[in-house]
Amino acid sequence: MGLCGNRRLRAGGLAVVGLLALVAVACGGRGDSGTPLGLYDPTAAAQSTDQTPTVDAESASGAADPIPRAPFLDPSATVTPAGEPIIRSEFRPRIDASFTLWGTNWKIRLIDVNELVSGGIPRDGVQSIDAPKFQSLAEVAGLYGDETPVIRVEIDGDARAYPLQILSWHEVVNDVVGGVPVVVTFCPLCNSALAYERMVEGEVFEFGVSGALRNSDLVMYDRTTESLWQQIGGKALVGDMVGAVLTPRNAQILSFAQFRASHPDGVVLSQDTGTSRERDYSISAYRGYDSVFAEAAFDVANAEDRRLPPFERVVALLLADEALAYPFSVLSELRVINDRRAGRPLVVFWTPGTVSALDEREILDSRDVGSSGVFRAERDGLSLTFRPDLDDPKLFRDQETESTWNIVGEAVDGPLIGTQLEPLIHANHFWFAWVAFEPGTIIVTSE
């Protein structure tokens, strides 16, 4: 949710004035709704609750609330289906007085709600895209450079590109891809591009930006029950939907050129977003964010875990009972890591040619950070071992058949041409964000 958010620099960190400059760039002083923005005050959490106006939690979620209720849990449940203890008690939220006016059922939650921090903007101050329009590759010719970063979502042959320079301003897109209702999300603060199915227990939900952060990560809300959902993990944290976890779909960050080559019939999210404020989407809202703050420490869980620099990009995934991280600094040298987890082979690809959306003012002036893909390294019972292609830095070869593969896991030449590897759900989070939620992460630095 914008740079108006959760940023406490520790001693030895960068000057706060640098942060304020970035906030001015990101927010332009006002939210999408036209509401003046308030910068998050890091001392607010230490203030007495009587300094923050509140509304009684009973009245905040009372019978007068017109929002239809669809409780996910049995009313007598004490734990979620995953065995997490449910907190059932009165609560007066301190994150923002306006939050108490929502229809959120604050009495049901998984977390200490003081882990939620106001991002300095109201709910929907960052406007989600709820009726997305798309254009063909021909229609956007010349609009994006080859190295422009996009989120690729493909379901049943319906391939769509969501440019990060649009998602950085809107963060949430409610869409239908391949007939499947999905929400495509991007949290610039964590570099987290994630997609989930929007159907839960047979009901399709629409999501928006709550205005809150947790571990510096976007907290969404659904517009049916007004429950709060964590972007990383897709879990309902507070409200009637506690216990629900959204089903993930593959959301791969790659370059516009790679998307175009892989999906010549694919479509691209239109800059005509249907929201109330016009923007120049070639301009980054986060100039210098992932370089200027490279050594800054966030007030997030497990911030003391410095096995990697906080802003190191990692290929992050959960597989069986393991949380894994493959650092971009290693991948950029090796380009391929062959691994074996849960008794099965997997491969991590990395290619150059995709710029950061969080670096220079002009997106295409930003530095090359590359893109990644993670796949089951097997086809029709044959385990495959990969190496970089010596002729093209954006392709790979398997040593078993000498077929050539691209970043989306498709064989583009050789005996297996046309074959598609099974993709594994992953994301390119910043290290500080991933380890905040997965402290037991295994860092993989070699084959």
Side-chain angles (χ1 to χ4, degrees):
M1 166 199 17
L3 273 169
C4 314
N6 179 20
R7 227 147 265 70
R8 277 187 231 179
L9 302 183
R10 302 178 186 274
L14 299 174
V16 173
V17 66
L19 170 63
L20 296 180
L22 286 179
V23 171
V25 171
C27 302
R30 305 183 72 83
D32 284 346
S33 63
T35 305
L37 297 177
L39 181 64
Y40 166 61
D41 178 2
T43 65
Q47 295 175 355
S48 169
T49 54
D50 61 10
Q51 294 177 318
T52 303
T54 61
V55 175
D56 185 84
E58 183 72 41
S59 61
S61 58
D65 184 355
I67 298 173
R69 293 297 175 194
F72 180 75
L73 294 168
D74 184 295
S76 63
T78 58
V79 296
T80 71
E84 301 163 296
I86 299 168
I87 302 170
R88 291 183 179 275
S89 63
E90 295 287 347
F91 176 74
R92 292 177 179 269
R94 293 166 54 188
I95 49 178
D96 187 313
S98 67
F99 284 24
T100 61
L101 302 175
W102 296 8
T104 306
N105 185 351
W106 294 96
K107 293 181 180 180
I108 305 176
R109 55 193 188 273
L110 293 181
I111 62 171
D112 176 349
V113 188
N114 289 307
E115 295 175 26
L116 298 171
V117 177
S118 173
I121 57 175
R123 180 172 68 170
D124 295 321
V126 172
Q127 290 182 300
S128 60
I129 301 174
D130 302 327
K133 301 175 183 178
F134 291 86
Q135 296 174 287
S136 69
L137 292 172
E139 290 173 319
V140 298
L143 188 59
Y144 299 107
D146 285 350
E147 297 183 336
T148 298
V150 302
I151 302 172
R152 167 188 172 263
V153 177
E154 187 273 330
I155 300 176
D156 291 338
D158 184 358
R160 304 190 178 200
Y162 303 80
L164 290 190
Q165 57 202 67
I166 300 178
L167 269 290
S168 294
W169 290 103
H170 296 283
E171 303 192 8
V172 170
V173 180
N174 293 288
D175 200 2
V176 178
V177 182
V180 179
V182 297
V183 57
V184 180
T185 70
F186 180 61
C187 177
L189 301 182
C190 298
N191 196 58
S192 300
L194 298 163
Y196 298 99
E197 295 184 13
R198 292 191 286 126
M199 183 173 288
V200 183
E201 294 291 289
E203 182 173 5
V204 176
F205 283 61
E206 183 178 274
F207 290 89
V209 178
S210 74
L213 298 166
R214 177 171 174 258
N215 286 329
S216 208
D217 180 50
L218 164 68
V219 175
M220 307 181 292
Y221 79 100
D222 72 73
R223 293 185 173 125
T224 300
T225 73
E226 300 194 44
S227 299
L228 303 184
W229 303 72
Q230 189 81 57
Q231 187 228 15
I232 295 180
K235 181 183 298 183
L237 302 176
V238 181
D240 288 336
M241 297 307 295
V242 160
V245 181
L246 300 175
T247 300
R249 286 286 187 161
N250 201 40
Q252 183 182 18
I253 297 178
L254 39 64
S255 72
F256 179 66
Q258 288 171 322
F259 178 84
R260 186 179 60 218
S262 302
H263 304 289
D265 296 324
V267 294
V268 183
L269 179 66
S270 172
Q271 295 186 6
D272 179 8
T273 59
T275 52
S276 62
R277 187 175 182 182
E278 294 184 1
R279 297 195 180 279
D280 181 352
Y281 288 110
S282 68
I283 303 300
S284 173
Y286 294 83
R287 182 181 180 184
Y289 174 71
D290 63 352
S291 56
V292 172
F293 285 93
E295 294 302 324
F298 283 87
D299 185 22
V300 296
N302 307 309
E304 70 282 356
D305 189 331
R306 294 301 186 97
R307 288 179 289 164
L308 294 171
F311 278 73
E312 169 87 50
R313 281 174 169 81
V314 296
V315 174
L317 69 154
L318 294 171
L319 200 58
D321 295 326
E322 293 183 323
L324 305 170
Y326 301 82
F328 267 43
S329 59
V330 174
L331 287 165
S332 63
E333 295 182 4
L334 300 179
R335 287 184 47 207
V336 174
I337 291 182
N338 295 287
D339 201 354
R340 193 171 186 86
R341 300 285 165 180
R344 296 181 65 186
L346 66 85
V347 64
V348 183
F349 292 157
W350 181 92
T351 70
T354 304
V355 299
S356 169
L358 311 171
D359 184 23
E360 295 294 336
R361 181 175 184 271
E362 296 282 346
I363 299 289
L364 286 178
D365 292 337
S366 298
R367 71 187 189 285
D368 187 346
V369 295
S371 56
S372 68
V374 186
F375 307 93
R376 285 290 182 196
E378 54 190 358
R379 186 66 187 179
D380 297 329
L382 174 66
S383 293
L384 301 173
T385 306
F386 293 87
R387 66 179 187 276
D389 186 287
L390 297 180
D391 299 323
D392 189 330
K394 296 180 182 178
L395 296 175
F396 312 89
R397 286 183 181 270
D398 71 78
Q399 69 180 30
E400 287 75 18
T401 74
E402 288 297 321
S403 296
T404 303
W405 305 77
N406 63 15
I407 191 64
V408 303
E410 181 185 6
V412 294
D413 195 12
L416 295 181
I417 188 170
T419 297
Q420 176 68 56
L421 297 175
E422 177 191 348
L424 297 178
I425 303 294
H426 71 286
N428 296 342
H429 303 304
F430 290 133
W431 168 248
F432 81 83
W434 180 243
V435 78
F437 294 100
E438 298 294 340
T441 293
I442 299 168
I443 301 174
V444 183
T445 59
S446 62
E447 294 192 331

